Amino acid sequence: MSLTGGVLTTAPSGIGGTVVHGLLRASDTVVRAAGGSGNEPPVTMPRDPAREAARRELSKRMYHENDPGLFQRALNAFWRWLDRLLNSAASATPGGTLGLVVVVLVVVAVLAALWWRLGTPRRQPASAAALFDDRPRSAAEHRAASEAHAAQGHWNQAVQERMRAIVRSLEERALLDIRPGRTADEAATEAGRTLPAHTDRLTAAAREFDDVTYGGRSASQDSYQRIAELDRDLERTRPVLTNSSSSTAHNTRQEAVQ
């Protein structure tokens, strides 16, 4: 409580009280600067000098000790902006706030359905990488590695090793020539010429290998089981010789008879 200019005032507590107290002190300063005293009639002071005196008083550090920091001011400004944005959107949407909530939920549901249907977006490799690394292993070794990964639920690695086992097995059976740098797609295309009954499954297995290895997709137990079953079926399948190979073999037999 203070007596200023003959008027008894009570300043509120907190920051507001500090500011009010500063204004009262500024008014006292203005009165004293004008040469007045408490026993003399109030002196009328021009507006600009009074405003300047109040500004100097309120610029003192004691009135800003509890001011929010830069981060807090920025956060408050962001929330005010977001509130205005939502209010504007709600006013422009039929049904107001409830209509805006419904629209947002519908958009989220559509995005979730697309994500569930299409899965993780594929990243197409700039260039197809080689099927094998620099460590040559047999088909049996690749199969053992794939089964070990499958037992631990590591389906990505299991699919990769099983596809390598398929290609290595075809190379060991001389159905594919041993060629470093061969891709899974190339192996499937070449193997389909001598194993035409499994062309589609070979192509699907190569695509699964590429998706897991380079496309960022995750394999599943079902996809591994399909490739493992293909591997077992290929082991029991006899190759189909091409016409040129058949003709060459026939001519060779004829020459032997003559």
Side-chain angles (χ1 to χ4, degrees), residues 216-253:
R217 301 292 293 271
S218 296
S220 63
Q221 182 177 1
D222 291 339
S223 60
Y224 170 73
Q225 293 296 342
R226 286 194 297 269
I227 295 179
E229 184 179 356
L230 172 63
D231 184 22
R232 290 188 291 267
D233 291 345
L234 290 176
E235 285 291 297
R236 297 190 296 265
T237 302
R238 299 182 61 180
V240 176
L241 299 178
T242 60
N243 293 333
S244 60
S245 300
S246 300
S247 299
T248 302
H250 177 72
N251 293 338
T252 302
R253 288 194 298 270

Side-chain angles (χ1 to χ4, degrees), residues 53-97:
R55 187 191 64 79
R56 286 196 303 270
E57 177 65 25
L58 294 178
S59 65
K60 293 181 180 179
R61 183 181 180 83
M62 60 180 296
Y63 302 119
H64 302 280
E65 293 178 350
N66 297 322
D67 287 356
L70 179 61
F71 175 77
Q72 186 62 41
R73 293 198 300 271
L75 186 61
N76 293 339
F78 169 76
W79 288 119
R80 287 194 298 269
W81 171 81
L82 184 61
D83 182 65
R84 290 194 300 269
L85 179 64
L86 293 177
N87 289 335
S88 300
S91 61
T93 304
T97 303

Side-chain angles (χ1 to χ4, degrees), residues 11-22 62-63 66-67:
S13 59
I15 298 176
T18 303
V19 174
V20 171
H21 181 65
M62 60 180 296
Y63 302 119
N66 297 322
D67 287 356

Side-chain angles (χ1 to χ4, degrees), residues 30-242:
V30 172
V31 172
R32 288 195 299 270
S37 63
N39 298 326
E40 297 177 356
V43 178
T44 301
M45 186 175 184
R47 178 180 301 176
D48 292 341
R51 183 186 298 112
E52 182 63 23
R55 187 191 64 79
R56 286 196 303 270
E57 177 65 25
L58 294 178
S59 65
K60 293 181 180 179
R61 183 181 180 83
M62 60 180 296
Y63 302 119
H64 302 280
E65 293 178 350
N66 297 322
D67 287 356
L70 179 61
F71 175 77
Q72 186 62 41
R73 293 198 300 271
L75 186 61
N76 293 339
F78 169 76
W79 288 119
R80 287 194 298 269
W81 171 81
L82 184 61
D83 182 65
R84 290 194 300 269
L85 179 64
L86 293 177
N87 289 335
S88 300
S91 61
T93 304
T97 303
L98 180 59
L100 177 62
V101 172
V102 172
V103 171
V104 172
L105 291 178
V106 170
V107 172
V108 171
V110 170
L111 292 177
L114 290 175
W115 187 276
W116 176 81
R117 180 66 180 84
L118 302 178
T120 305
R122 300 184 182 183
R123 298 192 301 270
Q124 296 294 338
S127 59
L131 179 64
F132 296 98
D133 53 24
D134 296 331
R135 298 171 297 170
R137 289 184 290 177
S138 66
E141 290 175 324
H142 284 296
R143 288 193 186 98
S146 71
E147 292 171 356
H149 286 303
Q152 299 178 6
H154 300 162
W155 303 117
N156 282 14
Q157 295 86 341
V159 165
Q160 291 170 330
E161 289 298 326
R162 201 70 184 207
M163 185 63 190
R164 293 184 177 116
I166 290 175
V167 177
R168 185 66 76 199
S169 176
L170 295 175
E171 291 177 347
E172 292 173 353
R173 295 169 61 188
L175 299 180
L176 287 177
D177 60 312
I178 299 177
R179 177 159 52 87
R182 175 187 279 119
T183 65
D185 291 332
E186 292 172 345
T189 301
E190 295 171 13
R193 299 191 185 106
T194 55
L195 301 168
H198 302 288
T199 300
D200 293 339
R201 297 171 68 190
L202 284 166
T203 302
R207 185 181 302 111
E208 187 74 30
F209 177 88
D210 289 340
D211 289 344
V212 167
T213 307
Y214 316 114
R217 301 292 293 271
S218 296
S220 63
Q221 182 177 1
D222 291 339
S223 60
Y224 170 73
Q225 293 296 342
R226 286 194 297 269
I227 295 179
E229 184 179 356
L230 172 63
D231 184 22
R232 290 188 291 267
D233 291 345
L234 290 176
E235 285 291 297
R236 297 190 296 265
T237 302
R238 299 182 61 180
V240 176
L241 299 178
T242 60

